[in-house]
Amino acid sequence: MKPGAATLFKKELLRFWKVSFQTVAAPVLTSVLYLMIFGHVLEDHVQVHGVPYGAFLLPGLVMMSVLQNSFANSSSSLIQSKVTGNLVFLLLTPLSPRAWFLAYVGAAMVRGLAVGLGVALATLWFVPWQGWALQHLPWALAFGLLGAGLMGSLGLIAGLWADKFDQLAAFQNFIVMPMTFLAGVFYSVDSLPPFWRAASHLNPFFYMVDGFRHGFFGVSDTNPWISLGVVALAFMVVAGIAMRLLCTGYKIRH
């Protein structure tokens, strides 16, 4: 990473880390509450793929936290800079669009993965990991990194597109949140009726959650190689769109 990109990357890291109680600790607490409530209610009544429900829920919550916080970091940073007017200071620098992309998406990935790791460690108190946990660690790492990169890139697009916080909130509430909750975080899509099962397979978030869960248990609702291909393709498409918008200066230079 070139010095300019590294400086912007460090600035983005410090931006969310200085308020880590809000950007890291709060999402971890939210996920723990989800686990406590759903796990307590359904633990003794539900097993999925032979795995106790609390354990099944854990990787879904970790991945949900990674996705939502990766998106939130890059999108909120850009919209704050646009609304407050300090984006002009970045425009005055000789930073290339590639440097912008690496810094914003890289910092988003760090925040998403930090929150995901925090959720995993915090939930150890409630769901001790058994011998089956992390059976396929490379799969979990691959989907975690790709998912964080994809959502960091999508957050970059949303931040460039939005002119005010209301627009960004609408993007998150009506697109990101529903697609995340309907991705099999709290259930197996195999339990759905045929129509909704087929609809779930059109949701790229499903492949991120399902592939990440495969890294924990070695079982999944679809072939992990298919999931990896879908997520990798989605990442390339979204990252390509984000780079194109940066290169044209969409809503930041004109």
Side-chain angles (χ1 to χ4, degrees):
M1 188 180 290
K2 293 183 178 180
T7 301
L8 181 57
F9 173 70
K10 182 180 179 180
K11 172 257 185 186
E12 287 299 305
L13 289 182
L14 292 175
R15 188 192 71 86
F16 82 80
W17 190 251
K18 282 183 177 292
V19 287
S20 56
F21 192 78
Q22 173 189 346
T23 57
V24 178
V28 170
L29 177 60
T30 300
S31 295
V32 170
L33 291 175
Y34 276 128
L35 183 64
M36 290 175 63
I37 295 169
F38 286 98
H40 174 72
V41 172
L42 299 174
E43 179 71 26
D44 297 330
H45 306 284
V46 178
Q47 279 200 350
V48 185
H49 299 307
V51 177
Y53 183 73
F56 172 84
L57 188 58
L58 173 58
L61 290 175
V62 172
M63 194 58 171
M64 181 178 74
S65 301
V66 170
L67 301 181
Q68 291 181 346
N69 285 277
S70 296
F71 174 87
N73 199 74
S74 53
S75 60
S76 64
S77 179
L78 264 178
I79 193 65
Q80 285 173 4
S81 295
K82 290 169 70 174
V83 170
T84 58
N86 61 40
L87 190 65
V88 65
F89 298 111
L90 277 181
L91 295 174
L92 292 174
T93 66
L95 290 174
S96 66
R98 181 172 175 269
W100 282 52
F101 179 85
L102 290 175
Y104 278 101
V105 175
M109 292 176 67
V110 171
R111 175 178 166 183
L113 294 172
V115 174
L117 180 60
V119 172
L121 295 177
T123 50
L124 283 176
W125 294 94
F126 306 97
V127 184
W129 291 11
Q130 306 297 326
W132 35 255
L134 293 177
Q135 290 184 359
H136 302 276
L137 181 59
W139 285 105
L141 291 175
F143 281 100
L145 290 170
L146 279 173
L150 193 158
M151 294 306 292
S153 302
L154 186 62
L156 196 58
I157 294 172
L160 290 170
W161 166 78
D163 295 316
K164 50 187 179 180
F165 288 104
D166 289 349
Q167 292 177 322
L168 184 60
F171 193 102
Q172 187 161 10
N173 292 332
F174 292 100
I175 298 178
V176 175
M177 192 72 72
M179 291 181 71
T180 304
F181 275 91
L182 297 176
V185 171
F186 299 97
Y187 56 86
S188 168
V189 298
D190 280 349
S191 63
L192 297 176
F195 173 80
W196 292 109
R197 188 186 312 143
S200 295
H201 283 79
L202 299 177
N203 179 4
F205 287 35
F206 156 71
Y207 296 97
M208 290 187 272
V209 173
D210 195 57
F212 187 74
R213 185 173 279 128
H214 176 81
F216 278 70
F217 310 127
V219 294
S220 54
D221 291 326
T222 192
N223 189 308
W225 286 106
I226 294 177
S227 295
L228 187 64
V230 171
V231 175
L233 178 61
F235 169 70
M236 289 188 288
V237 170
V238 174
I241 294 173
M243 276 296 299
R244 178 61 180 169
L245 294 178
L246 287 173
C247 288
T248 59
Y250 178 73
K251 287 195 173 183
I252 54 175
R253 294 186 184 276
H254 307 291

